[in-house]
Amino acid sequence: AQSVTQLDSHVSVSEGTPVLLRCNYSSSYSPSLFWYVQHPNKGLQLLLKYTSAATLVKGINGFEAEFKKSETSFHLTKPSAHMSDAAEYFCVVSDQTGGSYIPTFGRGTSLIVHP
Amino acid sequence: GAGVSQTPSNKVTEKGKYVELRCDPISGHTALYWYRQSLGQGPEFLIYFQGTGAADDSGLPNDRFFAVRPEGSVSTLKIQRTERGDSAMYLCASSPRLAGGVNEQFFGPGTRLTVL
């Protein structure tokens, strides 16, 4: 069985400071891991994905995440927050449980960016 | 090109009524997923299609929920005898053919269902 835990329901940062959104996962197989962003009244958009290639994954808008198998973590980071980064972020795990890839979403982390 | 579209964007219905929610995936995407997202939660998997057939429907909560994709493109999620607990945002996503793993999913804007 697979599961994902987003450790913070809300993260608040000032514009220009670093962002860290934490995600831990559980998987019986080699998982694929994703981060999606959801802006208000907009559809979910992929930020980045890990599929067993390089453990440090770079995504859009300056975000990146590092896959750490020993810690079962896939934290999302950005060196400098921008006001436009304010949104809901979802960590997603997917493995071949039961023979098909069914994504499991975390509960989400709301990123608040102060001017 | 055109993204995933969902209609209607909002649906208000009364308890006990039947509703249909439509999803138009990106042209050429063979995989199609339905999710339900309640307020303050992440999307919850309902069903996924590979082509015309339901490859996995393990997320459907009960037999009041049903989905079809008769020609391998447009999909309809059908809910019978709606209950107030069915109120949520229903999301559709499409994805290119699986290739040894799961690909990026492209999401529609969702249909917000309210059952009074």
Side-chain angles (χ1 to χ4, degrees):
Chain A
Q2 62 188 23
S3 66
V4 60
T5 302
Q6 292 186 242
L7 296 159
D8 306 292
S9 59
H10 296 84
V11 169
S12 183
V13 300
S14 297
E15 190 175 21
T17 64
V19 175
L20 170 64
L21 306 183
R22 298 182 293 164
C23 172
N24 285 99
Y25 70 91
S26 173
S27 173
S28 304
Y29 300 87
S30 297
S32 295
L33 293 156
F34 304 78
W35 277 97
Y36 282 84
V37 61
Q38 188 175 37
H39 286 93
N41 301 316
K42 293 196 173 179
L44 285 147
Q45 179 185 18
L46 180 72
L47 276 179
L48 49 80
K49 66 178 180 180
Y50 166 79
T51 54
S52 76
T55 56
L56 182 61
V57 181
K58 293 187 184 300
I60 61 171
N61 300 334
F63 284 94
E64 61 182 40
E66 186 172 7
F67 173 70
K68 292 187 176 180
K69 187 175 181 179
S70 61
E71 298 177 9
T72 61
S73 70
F74 190 58
H75 300 335
L76 182 70
T77 60
K78 182 173 180 177
S80 176
H82 191 272
M83 295 296 292
S84 61
D85 294 328
E88 192 81 15
Y89 291 79
F90 294 96
C91 182
V92 184
V93 63
S94 183
D95 66 24
Q96 206 168 5
T97 301
S100 57
Y101 286 89
I102 303 301
T104 297
F105 282 71
R107 293 186 60 172
T109 298
S110 179
L111 177 63
I112 301 159
V113 183
H114 299 285
Chain B
V4 178
S5 63
Q6 293 185 246
T7 54
S9 55
N10 279 285
K11 177 70 177 179
V12 180
T13 190
E14 294 180 342
K15 181 175 178 294
K17 299 288 188 183
Y18 167 83
V19 297
E20 291 189 350
L21 312 179
R22 176 188 168 107
C23 172
D24 276 274
I26 292 172
S27 177
H29 281 191
T30 57
L32 185 147
Y33 297 77
W34 282 100
Y35 296 87
R36 179 168 67 176
Q37 185 176 21
S38 300
L39 203 60
Q41 303 291 324
E44 175 189 6
F45 168 77
L46 296 175
I47 184 171
Y48 110 85
F49 291 87
Q50 191 63 251
T52 59
D56 192 314
D57 65 357
S58 60
L60 294 177
N62 51 59
D63 61 6
R64 295 187 297 105
F65 288 74
F66 189 72
V68 296
R69 195 186 184 197
E71 297 178 358
S73 56
V74 171
S75 176
T76 305
L77 178 66
K78 307 180 181 195
I79 310 174
Q80 298 177 319
R81 305 183 304 280
T82 52
E83 299 177 357
R84 292 195 180 88
D86 299 334
S87 296
M89 178 72 84
Y90 288 82
L91 299 174
C92 175
S94 70
S95 182
R97 182 179 178 83
L98 293 181
V102 61
N103 292 301
E104 171 184 0
Q105 295 188 25
F106 295 81
F107 283 82
T111 293
R112 181 165 297 285
L113 176 65
T114 303
V115 182
L116 301 176

